């Protein structure tokens, strides 16, 4: 087993008597496997890649938390946007550098609510992140602080049913990625319920006194149609892709329960791509635990 990589323009190959562990994340790991001939045999052959083992599940089952941002105009002092715009951002940068104080010392989200989207839901299926900032894209497509005093409530569907895919369109180029967000109606329904939650929270104290007006989707978005349109037009990734090298014992699984790539000796995948389904919260802690568990299994397998 080994890996081939480019260094200073030359292709190098490193071999190991042990194992190769792929840990390139939910986009990178299936990409590496596919480029290496591990994936759907017919798809690979169509691109001129010789299949080593046919595993049609590689790149399938992409799960991610769909994310929708509501923003509210607020009274002066309630948003950090003015401190982070233009030259003031440099002042805050210097403040952080020399005093370790100021808005750059805190994370984006200052509070998080886990709530249920419907009366018959038994476990939270919505995560709402509250931020004293809002962001906007400039004419060059760059992300930066909003021009007005606004705050954000970012709504995330925690148990999405929709699935996307990672696949190759060429042997060498970047992978194609289809998020598949809102492919299942239930994923849209829960975000619609999240907007209702946020409106109720912002209509309650202590937030109500700070809010001047709802900015997005805006108070004209009333009723099912406009809200759904807003969700469809603005849904984005929460940057939590998982599941594209799914662990399992069935024919479509990519790795077995010890994270060994099925049908190949000496190759494991250890990262968020092995999650069979997405966790109902942020993904990094679960990924750390996958790594902890994998290190135990690898040591045990090599001792045996
Ligand atoms: C902007 C952003 C914010 C996030 N915020 C949070 C948060 O607040 N809380 C939370 O829990 N989770 C958060 N996440 C999600 C979290 O970062 C991921 O779930 C987690 O990092 C997944 O770990 P991983 O090891 O699977 O992949 P990664 O952390 O992506 O690690 C994969 C590594 O492989 C490398 N790589 C990829 N392809 C190749 C290749 N061909 N050759 C060599 N190296 C390669 C990459 O550069 C990367 O270093 C966030 C993600 C993003 C993008």
């Amino acid at each position: 087993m080994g890996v081939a990589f480019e260094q200073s323009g030359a292709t190098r190959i490193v071999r190991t008597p042990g194992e190769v562990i792929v840990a390139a994340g939910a986009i990178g790991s299936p990409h590496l496997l596919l480029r290496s001939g591990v994936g759907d045999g017919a798809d690979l052959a169509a691109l001129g890649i010789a299949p080593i083992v046919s595993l049609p599940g590689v790149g399938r089952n992409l799960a991610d938390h769909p994310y929708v941002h509501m923003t509210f105009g607020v009274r002066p002092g309630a948003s950090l946007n003015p401190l982070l715009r233009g030259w003031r951002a440099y002042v805050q940068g210097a403040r952080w550098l020399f005093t370790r104080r100021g808005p750059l010392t805190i994370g984006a989200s200052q509070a998080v609510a886990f709530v249920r989207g419907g009366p018959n839901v038994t476990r939270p299926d919505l995560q709402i992140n509250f931020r004293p900032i809002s962001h906007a894209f400039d004419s060059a497509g760059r992300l930066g602080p909003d021009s007005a005093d606004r705050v954000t409530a970012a709504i995330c569907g925690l148990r999405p049913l929709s699935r996307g895919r990672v696949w190759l369109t060429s042997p060498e180029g970047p992978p194609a990625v289809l998020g598949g967000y809102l492919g299942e109606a239930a994923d849209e329904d829960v975000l619609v319920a999240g907007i209702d939650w946020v409106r109720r929270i912002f209509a309650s104290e202590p937030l109500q006194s700070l809010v001047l007006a709802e900015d997005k989707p805006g108070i004209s978005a009333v009723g099912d149609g406009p809200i759904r349109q807003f969700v469809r037009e603005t849904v984005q990734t929460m940057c939590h892709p998982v599941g594209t090298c799914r662990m399992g014992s069935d024919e479509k699984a990519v790795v077995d329960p010890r994270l060994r790539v099925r049908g190949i000796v000496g190759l494991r995948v250890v990262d968020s791509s092995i999650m069979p389904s997405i966790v109902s919260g942020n993904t990094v802690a679960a990924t750390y635990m996958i790594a902890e568990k994998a290190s135990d299994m690898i040591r045990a397998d090599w001792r045996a």
Side-chain angles (χ1 to χ4, degrees):
M1 189 55 61
V3 292
F5 60 96
E6 283 190 9
Q7 191 176 45
S8 306
T11 300
R12 293 190 59 198
I13 295 177
V14 174
R15 298 195 184 280
T16 172
E19 294 185 2
V20 168
I21 298 170
V22 176
I27 310 298
S29 286
H31 185 217
L32 277 177
L33 292 185
L34 291 167
R35 288 183 64 178
S36 306
V38 181
D40 184 288
D43 289 354
L44 294 174
L47 289 171
I49 300 172
I52 297 171
V53 57
S54 188
L55 285 177
V58 176
R60 303 271 175 179
N61 190 47
L62 171 63
D64 193 0
H65 292 131
Y67 211 24
V68 166
H69 290 64
M70 292 178 74
T71 50
F72 293 81
V74 290
R75 296 188 186 285
S79 167
L80 295 177
N81 286 355
L83 296 178
L84 300 172
R85 273 197 304 270
W87 60 269
R88 291 185 179 85
Y90 295 99
V91 173
Q92 297 307 330
R95 199 175 164 202
W96 172 79
L97 197 60
F98 296 115
T99 70
R100 292 289 192 266
R101 294 190 179 278
L104 298 186
T105 60
I106 58 173
S109 299
Q110 296 300 295
V112 178
F114 288 86
V115 298
R116 292 186 289 267
N120 301 322
V121 179
T122 53
R123 296 178 298 172
D125 53 1
L126 280 164
Q127 177 179 334
I128 305 170
N129 287 6
F130 298 89
R131 300 187 185 134
I133 53 170
S134 61
H135 63 260
F137 292 94
D138 67 15
S139 54
R142 287 176 305 220
L143 190 67
D146 208 344
S147 59
D149 285 15
R150 295 192 181 109
V151 297
T152 301
I155 304 161
C156 154
L158 287 176
R159 303 175 193 277
L161 302 174
S162 310
R163 292 293 179 265
R165 190 185 162 203
V166 176
W167 74 100
L168 292 184
T169 55
S170 69
E172 297 294 332
V177 180
L178 176 71
Y181 306 101
L182 310 187
E184 298 287 337
D187 296 351
E188 186 178 299
D189 294 344
V190 77
L191 293 174
V192 170
I195 288 179
D196 186 50
W197 260 108
V198 170
R199 282 180 166 168
R200 280 188 279 146
I201 292 169
F202 275 74
S204 314
E205 293 298 357
L207 286 175
Q208 187 184 31
S209 304
L210 297 172
V211 172
L212 297 174
E214 182 182 307
D215 173 52
K216 285 188 181 136
I219 50 168
S220 61
V222 180
D224 202 50
I227 300 290
R228 285 184 187 276
Q229 187 182 350
F230 172 73
V231 168
R232 285 177 203 150
E233 285 176 358
T234 64
V235 69
Q236 56 178 264
T237 173
M238 203 186 178
C239 300
H240 290 169
V242 304
T244 47
C245 299
R246 179 175 66 82
M247 178 183 70
S249 305
D250 57 292
E251 280 306 300
K252 287 191 180 157
V254 175
V255 296
D256 70 12
R258 298 190 80 73
L259 307 189
R260 298 170 296 207
V261 175
R262 294 175 53 245
I264 300 183
V265 176
L267 183 63
R268 283 189 223 235
V269 180
V270 180
D271 59 26
S272 57
S273 72
I274 67 93
M275 292 186 201
S277 57
I278 192 162
V279 292
S280 54
N282 288 13
T283 42
V284 86
T287 308
Y288 290 159
M289 293 318 298
I290 289 167
E292 285 287 344
K293 174 76 178 168
S295 68
D296 291 345
M297 292 193 298
I298 292 164
R299 278 198 296 265
D301 289 352
W302 278 87
R303 272 198 297 267

